[in-house]
Amino acid sequence: MITEEDRFRDHLKKKGLKFTSERKLILKEVFSSHKHFDVEELFGRLRKKDRAISRATIYRTLPLLIESGLIREALRCRDRFYYEHVFGHPHHDHLLCIGCGKVIEFRDERLEKLQNEVCKKYGFELIEHRLGIKGYCKKCQKKISKST
Amino acid sequence: MITEEDRFRDHLKKKGLKFTSERKLILKEVFSSHKHFDVEELFGRLRKKDRAISRATIYRTLPLLIESGLIREALRCRDRFYYEHVFGHPHHDHLLCIGCGKVIEFRDERLEKLQNEVCKKYGFELIEHRLGIKGYCKKCQKKISKST
DNA sequence: CTAAATGCAAATGCTTTGCAATTCC
DNA sequence: GGAATTGCAAAGCATTTGCATTTAG
């Protein structure tokens, strides 16, 4: 069974790059939790746990993880990218609550199929797609109706 | 029949804000073409045509146009926001070509319906949704197959 | 008249980059 | 050994903001 590390090592080797201790720590930290994360958070986590790793190195490593097919940019919010796992986590879309920031992940095969159809219709070769739905989650709907 | 200007004036009045000559020019320029635009482009267009308007004013005006329901952020690409008309232009989704940057707009009722269904399932109140499909358009697919 | 708006230039905040010192293979 | 990598601090860039001046209503 292939691990994240195998995948990353393979990708680096293919590109003639090195599997450094910093890259290893970043990878480990990234896959230590399934939650979406941003650079600042990752930087903070690394500083606490293992060994401080510079932001520069993190910024240089994330694209490598993306190329390796391990993570992807999940969403952009307030000038920041948030990343999420791809490796070990099947494609899904997001419901993003405007009220509390909660993110609900979902997958609907019919949506996937329809998107393929649309691409076919336009002769478009699909590489990646992203559906984000913004609105209010159950809890926040209640809050709003109470406050008005 | 309501025009963009009516809509903008109404919104400003409601908020106790002024319909200044700068805001009028920006509105006019924004609605002079249906293409997606970014701040830099708008700034350039305004400088040429009418009267130079500072970037600061543009940055301060765009949110007002969004609140008015006249435009929206269409997509984010290379650190920049691209805006598009909402007023007079029914909701649609995007195919974005990675090769040449071309944007194809499409609308599929079945996709819209399915998204509503998903929201219902999660008790989520949909405010806005955005589907972006990245890939290669017909032309770019040909280019790639030629070059390899 | 006076609150709001403008332009400017400085500030912000995320991200990138040049460079000298270090490290993996 | 030598290319690749790192950390640092400086630079980049889109966007925001403070402030003195101007303007709409």
Side-chain angles (χ1 to χ4, degrees):
Chain A
M1 187 211 165
I2 291 176
T3 63
E4 298 95 72
E5 198 177 305
D6 294 335
R7 177 83 85 95
F8 195 27
R9 286 193 123 107
D10 280 358
H11 179 74
L12 292 174
K13 182 168 268 182
K14 240 181 254 169
K15 293 191 74 176
L17 304 178
K18 296 170 180 170
F19 186 66
T20 63
S21 66
E22 287 84 356
R23 288 180 181 160
K24 182 170 184 160
L25 285 175
I26 291 173
L27 178 72
K28 187 180 151 200
E29 196 53 46
V30 162
F31 277 88
S32 71
S33 145
H34 286 331
K35 277 208 338 174
H36 294 185
F37 65 93
D38 63 17
V39 169
E40 209 45 36
E41 191 197 315
L42 184 57
F43 176 72
R45 283 206 262 149
L46 282 162
R47 192 173 33 183
K48 277 181 204 161
K49 279 212 181 142
D50 292 289
R51 169 156 58 94
I53 287 176
S54 74
R55 267 176 265 257
T57 297
I58 295 176
Y59 277 112
R60 284 187 277 232
T61 301
L62 292 181
L64 296 172
L65 293 178
I66 293 175
E67 288 170 17
S68 308
L70 290 167
I71 64 172
R72 70 165 190 155
E73 291 165 4
L75 34 91
R76 172 130 200 156
C77 189
R78 274 182 241 157
D79 265 11
R80 252 175 214 192
F81 286 117
Y82 286 81
Y83 301 87
E84 67 180 4
H85 300 180
V86 169
F87 186 85
H89 293 271
H91 170 77
H92 54 264
D93 296 307
H94 296 113
L95 299 174
L96 174 61
C97 179
I98 301 168
C100 62
K102 187 180 170 186
V103 176
I104 302 171
E105 302 185 344
F106 71 91
R107 180 182 176 87
D108 190 305
E109 288 312 326
R110 297 167 302 169
L111 274 171
E112 305 296 317
K113 249 190 205 164
L114 268 173
Q115 290 178 50
N116 289 331
E117 260 184 52
V118 169
C119 287
K120 213 179 219 172
K121 180 174 160 192
Y122 289 94
F124 197 85
E125 183 194 347
L126 190 157
I127 297 295
E128 148 174 63
H129 61 108
R130 182 171 311 241
L131 169 62
I133 300 181
K134 288 187 188 178
Y136 293 97
C137 71
K138 268 186 196 164
K139 275 190 193 170
C140 287
Q141 286 171 48
K142 278 182 202 161
K143 272 184 212 158
I144 292 165
S145 58
K146 273 182 198 168
S147 65
T148 45
Chain B
M1 189 214 164
I2 290 177
T3 64
E4 298 94 76
E5 200 178 304
D6 295 334
R7 177 81 85 97
F8 196 26
R9 287 191 122 109
D10 282 357
H11 180 73
L12 293 174
K13 183 170 268 181
K14 239 180 256 166
K15 293 191 74 178
L17 305 178
K18 296 171 181 173
F19 186 65
T20 64
S21 66
E22 288 83 356
R23 287 179 181 163
K24 183 172 183 159
L25 286 174
I26 291 173
L27 178 71
K28 190 181 149 198
E29 196 53 45
V30 161
F31 277 89
S32 70
S33 146
H34 286 332
K35 280 204 340 174
H36 294 184
F37 65 93
D38 63 18
V39 169
E40 209 44 36
E41 191 198 316
L42 185 57
F43 176 71
R45 284 206 262 148
L46 281 162
R47 191 171 36 182
K48 278 182 201 159
K49 278 211 183 146
D50 292 288
R51 168 157 60 91
I53 288 176
S54 74
R55 267 176 265 258
T57 297
I58 295 176
Y59 276 112
R60 284 189 275 230
T61 301
L62 292 180
L64 295 173
L65 293 177
I66 293 175
E67 288 170 17
S68 308
L70 290 166
I71 65 172
R72 70 165 191 156
E73 291 166 4
L75 34 90
R76 174 129 201 156
C77 188
R78 272 179 243 159
D79 263 10
R80 254 175 213 192
F81 285 116
Y82 285 82
Y83 300 88
E84 69 181 0
H85 300 179
V86 169
F87 186 84
H89 292 273
H91 171 77
H92 54 262
D93 295 308
H94 297 111
L95 299 173
L96 174 62
C97 180
I98 301 168
C100 62
K102 187 179 168 185
V103 175
I104 301 171
E105 300 185 344
F106 71 91
R107 180 182 176 86
D108 191 304
E109 288 312 325
R110 296 169 301 172
L111 274 172
E112 305 295 319
K113 246 190 210 167
L114 268 174
Q115 290 178 50
N116 289 331
E117 257 183 58
V118 170
C119 287
K120 211 180 223 175
K121 180 173 160 192
Y122 289 94
F124 198 82
E125 183 194 348
L126 191 157
I127 297 295
E128 164 187 39
H129 61 108
R130 183 172 309 243
L131 169 62
I133 300 182
K134 289 189 186 176
Y136 293 97
C137 71
K138 268 186 195 164
K139 276 190 192 170
C140 288
Q141 286 172 48
K142 276 182 202 160
K143 271 183 213 158
I144 292 165
S145 59
K146 272 181 195 167
S147 65
T148 43

